[in-house]
Amino acid sequence: MQRIILSIIGFLTVFCLVGNESNFNRSYVDDEGVLRWSADDSEIMGFGVNYSLPFAHAYRMANRLGISHEEAIKQDVYHFARLGLDLYRVHVWDVEISDVEGNLLQNEHLRLFDFAVAEMKKRGMKFVITPIAFWGNGWPEPDFDTPGFATKFGKEGCLTNPDAIKAQENYLYQFLNHVNPYTELAYKDDPDIIAFEVSNEPHHDGTVDEVIDYINRLVGSMRKTGTQTPIFYNMSHSIHLVDAYLNADVQGGTFQWYPAGLVANRQINGNFLPHVGEYYIPFADHPLFKKMAKIVYEFDPADVGGNYMYPAMARSFREAGIQLATHFDYDAMFLAPYNTNYGTHYMSLPYAPQKALSLKIASAVFREIPRYSNYGGYPVNNHFEGFRIDYENDLVEWVANETFLYSNNTTSTPDNPALLRKIAGYGNSPLINYDGKGAYFLDRIGEDSWRLEVMPDAHWIDDPYGRVSLENQVAAVSYNIREMKVDLPCLGTDFIITAINDGNDYNTEAKERAFSIVPGVFILQNKNSVLEFSPFQALGNIRMNEFVAPKADLSKIMIKNNTVSQACVGTKTSIHFEVISPELPQKVEVIMYGNGGSTRTEAIYMGADIYKVDIYENHLVHGILNYYIVLTFNEKIKSFPAGLEGQPGDWDFYDHSLYTIKFIPDGEPVLVWSALDDWSETLRIWHPGVSLKPLGNRNAALHLKMDHLPDRNLKKGSRKDYSFKFFFGDLLSGRNSRIANSKKLVLNAYTQLNDYQPIIVGLVDVNGIAYSVEVDIIPGKSIYHISLDSLVQSEFAVTPGAYPEYLPHFQSSEHLFQFNPAKAESVQVSIRQGNIDEVDFWIESIWME
């Protein structure tokens, strides 16, 4: 029964955009350093994103691909609204909108920036604007010719050259006085701008007085416009000059957080929660700093593909008193398939739905957690205020009276589902079962009616954190008919489903709460509902029938094989893999060849494109099992890993590549790190004295040759140290039983000095707890046997290091835990200072036996 009323009133109930705050309701910083609204003195909290489409690489790529900048901005801003993000920050590319004298250029970049701000204001978003970025507009390309003052003087010159400083004063004055033609407000007067940050990451030298003078000149130029908006300055760089920042005419400090480093050029794996157990600010107790407000202008666990990190970071921000935080950087939808804008970051609702949902949950954490709260330090308390962080299942969730959010399959259930008003998730929960691979959102619109929005299936077809190119697509979406089951009391069992977004004519119906569904927007209503509504009416800051998603762009058929490469003889083992294909295969089979003969088995579908085959016992013998995965479609057969048409056994099937599993006797040692095989995937800092050296036995060793070890930060002072870490969890999961029964950690390492070289070696478990022991590497000895019973809970090495650079490189837990070898997933080695400064250390491998 159709419940949508397309009356004149319905058509006139146009999407009601959120209006501007009254000019009398402005942000201010009180005497205790708290950002508040002037209308009611309430605390300001904002959580959102950086986004750069009006400028630089993203702007050029839209031109190159024939994309409308305005339409792209509208699409992305809708996704901000869908994720509940209410804050936007950007470092404006001054090089593109100024000349050498600091005059503001009325060009396309500025117009698009104005347009983006106006679109976000319509969704109720607020702003932190950084007018000066200093740097060029090239990244990741070479810089292009730009007219700005920073192009002429460079960042260093801008901080000291009198002509450059004069140009910045001129530019800031004109920028704040600039009237946005879409809002008809000058930026100096816009009440939705919570704060101005003078510039992006200035790296000052000079004296405290010189830096104070520089800051005050720029702030003075901004204040000359008459603006009352709080002005902030970056305090996470050149912190030896912190007295300058704290004594300048600013109302607060801005900070960044990249806890896992930057630009690994690959996805990094392991438990990085110890990196984010605390957001440490060395001068947090300074009396002047306590009177200042605090903003995190950029954050991201860069290169971490898992979705479990964001809520932990948000909680640490609130524990440090942060009031505004913006993730860096949200990918424009048209560019997200390639991730060329900032390859070390990846955030997109259509293409990285679980990460986007995690950011949405982090936003809720940020608003629910009081400033300066404390939940227990490292390792982070994973259950708090209805939130849960589950590293092992790559899951974060929020279960509250009216809201249920989750980023992966969960078994959690709200106490009273009848009270729920909002649900957003990925995968399955006790209330929603979904076979697809996109995010979905359910919003209650009446006592017996819900709005359902389903995003297309997302596929990572290459490492999104690898080296980037428009010639290399790393992610894709596809549109498929999927199965869903919605168990919400008010809907009943056989409820009505009506498509309402433009172009969506998919008809479906619920039987026993289950139905087929495609991407789009639908209204779910109890069959007895009398609710009448217009598809054009507002639902918060979105319109009822709004739907934004990319067109299907999956063009290849591929296999993501998640099967172990090693397993213990006789241990029950399965081949499991994901089929990524524009069309679903009719049949999926696995052909196996091994010491137990050959078999051909049809795979079992497990949901969400995952298939599984249990390996027969006759194959679980000492030896190597080879196998192919064969997909049958209507008109073709494809065999993998090669992806060729045809199948093994055909006379012209010429490819010899195979998937393999090594079945190893349970008593054999487990190699957890090899210099030859694993150094490229090892987390470490770059140092000119560290290199991989080939050896004559078809092996290689890691060689550290240094005059002295580098300094690594502690909370107070520093330590001479070089640490590296390798994640072996996925590689060796098939040998868990052997690891669990191991008694020793053995390393092949030696020194060519005439003195001993101390090292700390150990294992890190799934909880992020390190267990280590000190070993003296002595001349003339290369094999060291370490009893696992001798490992004691110790420091977790934060390597390669975090930004800001002052953050400590080691973390220790306040709580004691029991070491369990079965939970080990990484090996950690720290080279420490011996009797002499010089280091000449070699290490070939580490294993468990």
Side-chain angles (χ1 to χ4, degrees):
M1 180 178 177
Q2 188 86 346
R3 298 290 180 186
I4 302 175
I5 306 301
L6 299 181
S7 63
I8 295 176
I9 294 176
F11 279 117
L12 293 178
T13 312
V14 197
F15 175 26
C16 182
L17 300 175
V18 180
N20 294 323
E21 294 280 354
S22 163
N23 283 337
F24 297 104
N25 190 22
R26 294 181 174 276
S27 60
Y28 75 97
V29 178
D30 70 13
D31 293 339
E32 296 181 348
V34 181
L35 267 168
R36 298 189 182 278
W37 289 117
S38 61
D40 58 5
D41 296 323
S42 60
E43 177 188 348
I44 297 175
M45 288 175 286
F47 193 90
V49 288
N50 285 253
Y51 173 73
S52 59
L53 183 55
F55 305 103
H57 177 78
Y59 171 84
R60 294 191 300 271
M61 292 304 101
N63 282 339
R64 188 177 302 180
L65 296 172
I67 301 295
S68 163
H69 296 87
E70 291 89 341
E71 187 60 30
I73 288 168
K74 289 180 179 179
Q75 292 170 344
D76 294 326
V77 171
Y78 174 74
H79 288 155
F80 300 166
R82 209 49 304 225
L83 293 172
L85 305 174
D86 62 2
L87 185 65
Y88 171 60
R89 183 263 179 183
V90 67
H91 51 63
V92 174
W93 270 260
D94 52 278
V95 294
E96 293 186 320
I97 63 169
S98 72
D99 65 15
V100 294
E101 295 178 342
N103 295 308
L104 190 66
L105 303 180
Q106 302 293 326
N107 60 19
E108 188 68 358
H109 298 292
L110 183 60
R111 185 190 71 79
L112 286 172
F113 175 68
D114 291 337
F115 179 81
V117 167
E119 288 300 306
M120 293 179 204
K121 284 170 70 73
K122 292 176 183 178
R123 303 285 185 179
M125 295 181 70
K126 309 300 181 185
F127 305 89
V128 174
I129 304 298
T130 306
I132 298 175
F134 293 120
W135 51 26
N137 70 344
W139 180 269
E141 307 166 88
D143 282 343
F144 288 69
D145 290 335
T146 49
F149 56 85
T151 305
K152 177 180 179 180
F153 295 103
K155 178 185 284 191
E156 184 178 356
C158 283
L159 300 176
T160 57
N161 185 289
D163 291 336
I165 295 172
K166 184 177 179 181
Q168 290 167 83
E169 290 177 295
N170 185 35
Y171 167 75
L172 288 169
Y173 181 79
Q174 292 189 29
F175 182 89
L176 267 64
N177 274 313
H178 170 68
V179 175
N180 184 331
Y182 298 98
T183 66
E184 299 182 348
L185 286 170
Y187 284 120
K188 65 175 182 177
D189 299 323
D190 191 333
D192 289 329
I193 298 178
I194 297 173
F196 290 110
E197 180 192 26
V198 176
S199 60
N200 185 73
E201 300 179 1
H203 294 77
H204 283 284
D205 290 322
T207 67
V208 168
D209 288 342
E210 288 169 340
V211 174
I212 290 176
D213 181 67
Y214 170 82
I215 297 172
N216 286 351
R217 283 186 61 179
L218 299 192
V219 171
S221 178
M222 300 170 75
R223 289 296 181 211
K224 193 167 69 172
T225 67
T227 187
Q228 301 174 38
T229 303
I231 297 176
F232 286 65
Y233 203 75
N234 184 286
M235 296 184 182
S236 60
H237 292 73
S238 303
I239 65 167
H240 63 288
L241 293 166
V242 65
D243 286 339
Y245 311 144
L246 298 181
N247 285 282
D249 295 334
V250 295
Q251 288 71 58
T254 65
F255 300 85
Q256 65 175 165
W257 203 11
Y258 296 123
L262 290 167
V263 196
N265 289 315
R266 63 179 177 87
Q267 180 176 318
I268 57 177
N269 299 303
N271 187 344
F272 292 93
L273 288 175
H275 292 230
V276 297
E278 175 189 18
Y279 189 69
Y280 173 67
I281 300 175
F283 44 89
D285 293 329
H286 195 293
L288 292 178
F289 185 67
K290 287 185 175 181
K291 297 179 179 181
M292 290 188 163
K294 305 159 190 67
I295 294 174
V296 170
Y297 62 95
E298 293 177 12
F299 72 89
D300 186 41
D303 302 312
V304 176
N307 68 75
Y308 62 92
M309 291 283 281
Y310 296 112
M313 297 179 74
R315 187 180 63 182
S316 291
F317 288 148
R318 292 299 284 163
E319 289 178 346
I322 307 298
Q323 290 184 255
L324 305 175
T326 51
H327 173 269
F328 192 94
D329 162 86
Y330 194 91
D331 290 86
M333 188 172 75
F334 76 89
L335 206 49
Y338 313 98
N339 197 28
T340 60
N341 204 28
Y342 292 98
T344 194
H345 310 289
Y346 199 43
M347 181 57 63
S348 168
L349 175 56
Y351 291 94
Q354 292 176 276
K355 291 178 72 70
L357 287 168
S358 178
L359 195 68
K360 179 178 177 67
I361 295 166
S363 178
V365 171
F366 199 82
R367 289 169 178 80
E368 293 292 316
I369 299 304
R371 277 181 303 113
Y372 301 116
S373 56
N374 191 323
Y375 289 88
Y378 158 68
V380 293
N381 183 342
N382 292 338
H383 299 264
F384 59 99
E385 308 293 344
F387 297 96
R388 182 161 72 100
I389 301 168
D390 183 349
Y391 159 72
E392 289 189 76
N393 292 299
D394 197 19
L395 163 69
V396 291
E397 66 182 23
W398 185 33
V399 186
N401 285 337
E402 295 187 351
T403 307
F404 186 26
L405 312 176
Y406 47 94
S407 67
N408 210 342
N409 297 324
T410 181
T411 58
S412 300
T413 306
D415 290 338
N416 188 351
L419 298 178
L420 287 172
R421 310 296 300 180
K422 291 184 181 295
I423 301 171
Y426 179 98
N428 298 323
S429 73
L431 300 184
I432 314 291
N433 284 357
Y434 181 54
D435 187 42
K437 296 187 293 187
Y440 49 83
F441 303 85
L442 288 104
D443 297 274
R444 197 166 191 168
I445 60 173
E447 288 308 306
D448 53 12
S449 304
W450 289 74
R451 177 190 188 270
L452 168 65
E453 181 174 354
V454 180
M455 295 296 289
D457 294 328
H459 315 274
W460 285 13
I461 56 180
D462 201 351
D463 184 350
Y465 301 104
R467 294 190 178 276
V468 300
S469 168
L470 284 182
E471 301 301 317
N472 181 41
Q473 187 176 349
V474 299
V477 299
S478 61
Y479 286 65
N480 299 291
I481 299 175
R482 296 290 192 175
E483 299 303 312
M484 180 175 271
K485 183 177 182 180
V486 175
D487 189 0
L488 294 171
C490 69
L491 291 175
T493 58
D494 301 332
F495 45 86
I496 299 164
I497 305 171
T498 308
I500 64 168
N501 60 294
D502 290 345
N504 186 358
D505 57 2
Y506 185 74
N507 291 315
T508 187
E509 57 182 6
K511 297 295 183 184
E512 297 298 320
R513 302 184 175 91
F515 51 93
S516 299
I517 199 73
V518 297
V521 178
F522 302 83
I523 301 301
L524 314 184
Q525 289 186 280
N526 187 293
K527 62 184 179 181
N528 297 316
S529 176
V530 295
L531 178 70
E532 298 180 353
F533 65 93
S534 163
F536 304 99
Q537 73 189 54
L539 179 64
N541 59 352
I542 67 172
R543 190 178 63 239
M544 192 79 78
N545 67 345
E546 274 192 285
F547 180 68
V548 174
K551 294 179 180 179
D553 54 6
L554 178 63
S555 59
K556 65 170 67 175
I557 300 171
M558 60 180 291
I559 298 291
K560 270 193 174 180
N561 194 358
N562 301 312
T563 309
V564 298
S565 59
Q566 299 180 32
C568 292
V569 169
T571 301
K572 183 177 180 180
T573 306
S574 299
I575 295 169
H576 60 282
F577 52 91
E578 180 181 355
V579 176
I580 297 176
S581 173
E583 58 175 316
L584 300 180
Q586 292 176 309
K587 184 187 293 186
V588 178
E589 298 170 289
V590 175
I591 303 175
M592 290 173 266
Y593 307 90
N595 292 348
S598 63
T599 56
R600 185 176 188 128
T601 305
E602 186 165 351
I604 300 170
Y605 183 64
M606 306 298 292
D609 297 336
I610 301 294
Y611 293 81
K612 174 185 173 183
V613 167
D614 291 328
I615 299 173
Y616 296 145
E617 287 187 14
N618 61 311
H619 286 306
L620 306 178
V621 295
H622 188 190
I624 297 176
L625 178 67
N626 300 310
Y627 62 98
Y628 294 97
I629 297 171
V630 180
L631 309 180
T632 300
F633 298 90
N634 283 328
E635 298 179 353
K636 62 187 173 185
I637 295 176
K638 276 186 168 284
S639 295
F640 293 84
L644 296 178
E645 290 204 22
Q647 58 183 319
D650 291 349
W651 73 270
D652 57 351
F653 190 82
Y654 60 87
D655 189 81
H656 298 290
S657 56
L658 291 159
Y659 297 115
T660 63
I661 304 174
K662 297 176 181 177
F663 283 96
I664 302 170
D666 196 38
E668 290 294 314
V670 180
L671 183 67
V672 297
W673 182 82
S674 160
L676 177 64
D677 297 327
D678 300 324
W679 180 241
S680 64
E681 302 294 308
T682 300
L683 294 175
R684 78 277 188 176
I685 61 168
W686 180 87
H687 190 284
V690 180
S691 60
L692 195 65
K693 297 291 179 62
L695 302 175
N697 58 355
R698 297 184 182 178
N699 203 353
L702 177 66
H703 183 208
L704 284 81
K705 177 69 172 176
M706 306 176 185
D707 294 334
H708 56 82
L709 289 166
D711 289 321
R712 304 294 279 164
N713 292 338
L714 305 175
K715 276 193 175 181
K716 294 184 178 180
S718 62
R719 171 192 295 157
K720 299 290 185 182
D721 176 274
Y722 185 89
S723 295
F724 63 87
K725 185 179 299 181
F726 177 71
F727 174 77
F728 58 76
D730 290 344
L731 296 172
L732 299 177
S733 59
R735 300 195 68 195
N736 277 345
S737 61
R738 182 67 191 91
I739 292 174
N741 294 316
S742 293
K743 303 299 181 184
K744 296 178 181 179
L745 189 67
V746 186
L747 59 150
N748 181 359
Y750 41 92
T751 181
Q752 294 188 343
L753 297 176
N754 293 323
D755 205 339
Y756 76 95
Q757 173 63 61
I759 69 168
I760 310 293
V761 62
L763 299 167
V764 182
D765 70 10
V766 295
N767 297 313
I769 303 296
Y771 303 87
S772 305
V773 66
E774 184 170 339
V775 178
D776 290 337
I777 307 300
I778 59 176
K781 182 179 179 181
S782 61
I783 304 297
Y784 296 80
H785 291 81
I786 303 161
S787 170
L788 294 183
D789 290 337
S790 69
L791 300 184
V792 296
Q793 188 172 323
S794 57
E795 292 178 320
F796 179 100
V798 179
T799 188
Y803 295 94
E805 294 181 341
Y806 59 69
L807 291 172
H809 293 122
F810 302 92
Q811 294 284 358
S812 297
S813 173
E814 301 172 357
H815 312 284
L816 294 178
F817 298 87
Q818 185 68 38
F819 176 57
N820 179 358
K823 293 290 187 178
E825 66 172 17
S826 296
V827 61
Q828 176 177 290
V829 178
S830 296
I831 294 85
R832 294 288 171 82
Q833 190 70 56
N835 290 328
I836 59 176
D837 289 343
E838 186 181 358
V839 175
D840 195 335
F841 174 74
W842 300 69
I843 182 167
E844 294 184 28
S845 56
I846 304 172
W847 64 91
M848 298 176 72
E849 62 179 41

